[in-house]
Amino acid sequence: MIRAAVLPAVGAPLEVTGIELPEPGPGRVRIRLAAAGVCHSDLSLSDGTMRVPVPAVLGHEGAGTVVAVGEGVTHVAPGDGVVLNWAPSCGACHPCALGEVWLCVNALNGAADVHARAADGRELHPGLNVAAFAEETVVAANCVLPAPEGVPLTDAALLGCAVLTGWGAVHHSARVRAGETVAVFGVGGVGLATLQAARIAGAATIVAVDVSPEKEALARAAGATEYVVASETTAREIRKLTGGHGVDVAVECVGRAVTIRTAWESTRRGGRTTVVGIGGKDQQVSFNALEIFHWGRTLAGCVYGNSNPAADLPVIAGHIRDGSFDLGALVTERITLEGIPGAFDAMLAGKGGRALVVF
């Protein structure tokens, strides 16, 4: 038996309890977790914004050490450090054939599998495939990537979602160029990663926007050159900071209709807005046909940073090793499994950056 944070039903409190994992069968890997990040997507799964079979072990951003491998697994071995990849591509569907592996239609098929059993015999599902809110997990072999050399596993956990998402939003979706101006809406874990990625891309002015004045120091440490406390005048303030034009690129990391609309309005004519935040179906964003024509702006969704984790992790690791990307700067709290509900509450209150479960 190992300890895990289990979501018994949508909207129910998490239960930290003992679960029984199977031994890894063919094509599967057992991992002892070093750390797992608490992401807003986990909160969205728990409250029903995103659908997940329940009861489930949540957690999708993690890293650890391989304990055992099943038949046919050759790319990792016991003792190897690995990063969990919650959205593995199948390589065969239409998006994969186009090279858009982040849109793989089969990526989340494993979430419906039976992952483990609770002490009372209940069958448990693996949340977003990898069930990282647990001391150990068993996952499909394509859900593990070798951890980058020289990066502690506790820090490497953040690579599994926040960093890939923020990095990809800047470098793949928005394609920020040196000298451009950027606004980042939401200074949580993903927002902090986005700010660092924009700085590395060479953005000239980087505006961080958040509802909390207390996050200014975090944002500036990550690369923000300006800080705006969100209000009804946010778009106007950003235009003032950019010579009246608006930024070249806005990245929305919140997933709220009003924030998406404000991010779009904060860009210059011909500007680009990338939406990373995951909102509910009730978050409706409206535009009129004339303004779409007149402003010539682009609004794009962004899934998992539009990243190919196998290709992007080595690039990001290089920036970590040379000191230009600071993983530790994303983390504002280190907790145990019992601290996850408090981390959810902090996210709802707009407090802090990334909470990290350390085992």
Side-chain angles (χ1 to χ4, degrees):
M1 299 287 286
I2 55 100
R3 297 172 69 248
V6 175
L7 178 69
V10 173
L14 291 182
E15 301 173 352
V16 178
T17 185
I19 68 170
E20 184 176 354
L21 285 173
E23 290 303 313
R28 299 187 68 78
V29 182
R30 183 164 182 151
I31 300 150
R32 181 178 300 113
L33 272 296
V38 182
C39 178
H40 205 283
S41 296
D42 299 308
L43 177 60
S44 296
L45 291 170
S46 71
D47 66 16
T49 300
M50 296 169 62
R51 298 180 64 182
V52 62
V54 290
V57 179
L58 298 185
H60 63 282
E61 179 184 85
T65 303
V66 175
V67 175
V69 299
E71 181 183 352
V73 178
T74 58
H75 72 296
V76 294
D80 288 351
V82 294
V83 174
L84 296 177
N85 176 16
W86 61 271
S89 57
C90 70
C93 67
H94 185 62
C96 285
L98 294 174
E100 299 172 350
V101 296
W102 56 91
L103 297 178
C104 176
V105 298
N106 298 309
L108 293 179
N109 285 357
D113 293 345
V114 175
H115 170 70
R117 291 186 181 274
D120 61 7
R122 285 177 298 166
E123 293 182 340
L124 305 175
H125 301 283
L128 290 177
N129 280 331
V130 296
F133 288 166
E135 294 169 330
E136 296 188 11
T137 188
V138 175
V139 301
N142 62 355
C143 287
V144 296
L145 295 166
E149 292 185 9
V151 180
L153 285 177
T154 48
D155 292 342
L158 300 167
L159 296 171
C161 184
V163 174
L164 276 171
T165 299
W167 175 269
V170 168
H171 291 273
H172 299 318
S173 179
R175 298 182 181 179
V176 174
R177 299 181 290 268
E180 288 193 311
T181 53
V182 176
V184 178
F185 288 74
V187 185
V190 173
L192 289 168
T194 304
L195 289 168
Q196 292 202 51
R199 172 175 47 76
I200 291 169
T205 299
I206 305 174
V207 185
V209 183
D210 198 276
V211 295
S212 172
E214 289 76 20
K215 290 188 179 182
E216 181 171 359
L218 274 175
R220 289 190 180 275
T225 60
E226 308 289 343
Y227 191 82
V228 173
V229 177
S231 70
E232 293 181 356
T233 63
T234 294
R236 191 181 314 154
E237 291 180 61
I238 290 175
R239 287 194 292 272
K240 285 181 180 178
L241 292 170
T242 53
H245 306 294
V247 290
D248 297 300
V249 170
V251 182
E252 200 274 358
C253 304
V254 181
R256 296 184 62 231
V258 64
T259 317
I260 294 169
R261 175 76 203 198
T262 302
W264 187 80
E265 291 178 354
S266 298
T267 63
R268 64 170 174 82
R269 197 174 187 188
R272 314 183 300 279
T273 298
T274 287
V275 178
V276 173
I278 301 173
K281 294 180 179 179
D282 61 325
Q283 297 293 312
Q284 299 290 318
V285 189
S286 297
F287 305 91
N288 68 58
L290 180 60
E291 66 180 338
I292 291 174
F293 160 77
H294 172 75
W295 289 103
R297 294 163 171 155
T298 301
L299 179 68
C302 180
V303 178
Y304 202 7
N306 292 8
S307 291
N308 178 345
D312 288 332
L313 283 185
V315 175
I316 297 169
H319 291 292
I320 295 168
R321 286 191 289 265
D322 70 17
S324 57
F325 198 109
D326 182 3
L327 286 174
L330 275 63
V331 180
T332 53
E333 188 178 18
R334 295 176 186 268
I335 60 176
T336 63
L337 287 171
E338 286 79 6
I340 296 173
F344 283 174
D345 291 340
M347 279 192 285
L348 287 170
K351 297 179 179 179
R354 201 47 133 217
L356 190 66
V357 180
V358 179
F359 295 96

